[in-house]
Amino acid sequence: MKETVRVKNTGLRGVPVADTKISFIDGEQGVLIYRGYLIEELAERSTYPETAFLLLNGELPTEKELQEFEDRIREAREIPGFLYECLGELPKQAVPMDVLQLAVPLLAMSDPELADDTREGNLRKAVRLISRIPVVMAAWHRIRNGLEPLPADAALSHAANFLWQLQGEKPDPVISRDLDVCLVLHADHTFNASTFACREVVSTRAHIYAGVAAGVGALSGSLHGGANARVMEMLMKLKSEEDVAGWVRRQLEQGQKIMGMGHAVYKTTDPRAKILREMSRLLGEKIGQSRWYDLSIQVEEAALTEFGRRGKTTLKPNVDFYSASVYHMMGIPRDMMTPLFAISRIAGWCSHIIEEKFGEAQEKPALYRPESEYVGHYCGLMGCAYEPLKTRNNKK
Ligand SMILES: CC(C)(COP(=O)(O)OP(=O)(O)OC[C@H]1O[C@@H](n2cnc3c(N)ncnc32)[C@H](O)[C@@H]1OP(=O)(O)O)[C@@H](O)C(=O)NCCC(=O)NCCS
């Protein structure tokens, strides 16, 4: 008899569906590791391009390898002209994550190596995606505001160039480095919903862009990448609220969630949230906007007290809670916060897509094909009697 594992309607919580060599989480201890390295160490000592190289290739680069990788990212920043024209035709109120999901297949159409499904070919496409997604998003932000997209600046780092192309001002080096750290922190996170979506799509042998487009769609939801924008919305709402603790209590009494809190895997504070909390504090002091950090702390304290009263002591801040105030202070518009998540996560998505395509952590690639249990209308294996439309109408 065929074996059926009873995991249905649980969102596959706690069910390993594949092996991976890319990242690891210990949800009880609050540990996140990329390819063996602790996230804290990478945040302090690495850069986003170096971390992206590590995720894609499994090892930290040599100086020469890193230089070449950064050059390739820089050289790929030119996006095809027809993509700008397409962006120009879109309604200005379009949701940036929808624009991104549209742009990914447009990038595919302009990729001369689209049909090259070798590992090397996929790595080159990954570099182009890492390079171009920020360029597309910055261009969209300017186009929707009636501004001309800006050319990339080859002298700037990956993070700094994004800020430049988005805002039209050469960014403060401290802010650029903070953004670079944010990109490191968001670059991968095991089998989260969007990564799983990417892997599931390419398990059909679809190309890397098709997988990434699926990942973008999954990331857009408010329970996943969309949470950072919702946290900022909450902070904006609470700006003039005197009784933050009362507001938090009322939210929970009404069955609402506090955005940026809780995690499907972490049962303690997300290690990325600790780094972002400190970054939010320091950035607030640097630019004289400590109120966002102060407000976040008030919400966190009130939420933890209320969760404690309800016996939910494992609900703690996740990566989105403090990234919201950090991004806001960097001048990132609220609806560009989730795209910024994608700008980072593209490194993880591509690494997982390559691992999935080439069965790098298991014996050989396998098409995802789970089962469902049918609980709908059923008249037996002969099927229900089909009532012709005319007589069916008369009976209703
Ligand atoms: C991330 C999230 C979906 C993970 O949740 P999960 O593992 O599926 O756990 P559940 O949603 O089943 O939550 C378990 C319980 O805690 C509660 N809970 C979880 N997160 C909560 C939150 N942020 N605020 C209030 N209650 C929360 C649930 O309502 C549920 O309560 P119940 O058992 O009484 O029904 C969830 O914590 C959440 O919705 N958080 C807010 C959105 C967010 O920040 N997402 C970004 C994640 S990085």
Side-chain angles (χ1 to χ4, degrees), residues 10-71:
T10 60
L12 295 178
R13 292 289 183 287
V15 182
V17 294
D19 292 326
T20 182
K21 294 178 177 173
I22 300 172
S23 56
F24 164 76
I25 301 171
D26 183 325
E28 299 295 328
Q29 305 293 325
V31 173
L32 169 60
I33 283 170
Y34 296 167
R35 300 276 193 190
Y37 297 91
L38 280 175
I39 193 65
E40 289 84 353
E41 177 127 49
L42 293 171
E44 195 184 322
R45 304 176 64 181
S46 184
T47 60
Y48 179 72
E50 187 185 58
T51 296
F53 183 102
L54 170 71
L55 289 169
L56 285 166
N57 297 288
E59 285 177 7
L60 286 168
T62 61
E63 212 172 348
K64 184 165 168 276
E65 284 171 332
L66 180 59
Q67 188 62 51
E68 278 170 12
F69 188 70
E70 287 181 325
D71 288 347

Side-chain angles (χ1 to χ4, degrees), residues 340-380:
L340 191 45
F341 197 146
I343 284 169
S344 164
R345 185 56 58 85
I346 184 64
W349 287 338
C350 290
S351 307
H352 280 272
I353 285 171
I354 290 170
E355 183 175 74
E356 183 72 49
K357 271 183 176 289
F358 299 96
E360 291 182 346
Q362 61 195 53
E363 228 168 89
K364 59 181 183 135
L367 171 73
Y368 284 102
R369 196 1 180 142
E371 290 197 6
S372 56
E373 203 153 1
Y374 182 65
V375 293
H377 188 49
Y378 187 61
C379 311

Side-chain angles (χ1 to χ4, degrees), residues 205-219:
R205 300 199 181 164
H207 57 61
I208 188 168
Y209 289 93
V212 168
V216 172
L219 189 72

Side-chain angles (χ1 to χ4, degrees), residues 13 223 227 252 257-258 260-262 264 307 312 315 318 320:
R13 292 289 183 287
L223 294 187
L252 295 175
K257 284 185 168 177
I258 307 298
M261 295 276 165
F307 292 152
K312 293 180 177 164
L315 296 178
N318 61 48
D320 294 306

Side-chain angles (χ1 to χ4, degrees), residues 69-225:
F69 188 70
E70 287 181 325
D71 288 347
R72 280 162 58 203
I73 292 178
R74 217 172 281 124
E75 285 156 14
R77 281 178 186 153
E78 200 73 33
I79 58 173
F82 81 90
L83 214 146
Y84 288 111
E85 285 165 32
C86 288
L87 294 181
E89 295 297 318
L90 301 179
K92 300 282 181 274
Q93 73 278 12
V95 175
M97 284 300 279
D98 290 340
V99 174
L100 180 55
Q101 206 178 2
L102 167 84
V104 172
L106 293 178
L107 289 171
M109 290 169 211
S110 66
D111 194 320
E113 288 191 298
L114 188 60
D116 179 349
D117 208 16
T118 60
R119 192 179 198 283
E120 279 309 307
N122 278 291
L123 267 177
R124 288 192 293 273
K125 282 179 270 196
V127 168
R128 288 197 272 280
L129 277 157
I130 290 170
S131 171
R132 292 178 179 172
I133 284 182
V135 178
V136 171
M137 282 291 91
W140 167 245
H141 180 61
R142 294 188 68 83
I143 289 169
R144 72 176 173 170
N145 286 307
L147 299 166
E148 279 293 311
L150 290 166
D153 183 337
L156 295 177
S157 72
H158 189 66
N161 183 64
F162 172 67
L163 289 172
W164 150 247
Q165 288 197 287
L166 184 80
Q167 298 170 338
E169 281 171 31
K170 297 290 153 82
D172 178 305
V174 174
I175 293 182
S176 302
R177 172 60 190 153
D178 279 352
L179 180 59
D180 187 55
V181 173
C182 292
L183 297 181
V184 169
L185 296 178
H186 288 82
D188 195 46
H189 212 229
T190 73
F191 269 54
N192 56 87
S194 58
T195 301
F196 185 44
C198 292
R199 291 189 71 132
E200 193 269 334
V201 167
V202 301
S203 79
T204 69
R205 300 199 181 164
H207 57 61
I208 188 168
Y209 289 93
V212 168
V216 172
L219 189 72
S220 68
S222 65
L223 294 187
H224 191 6

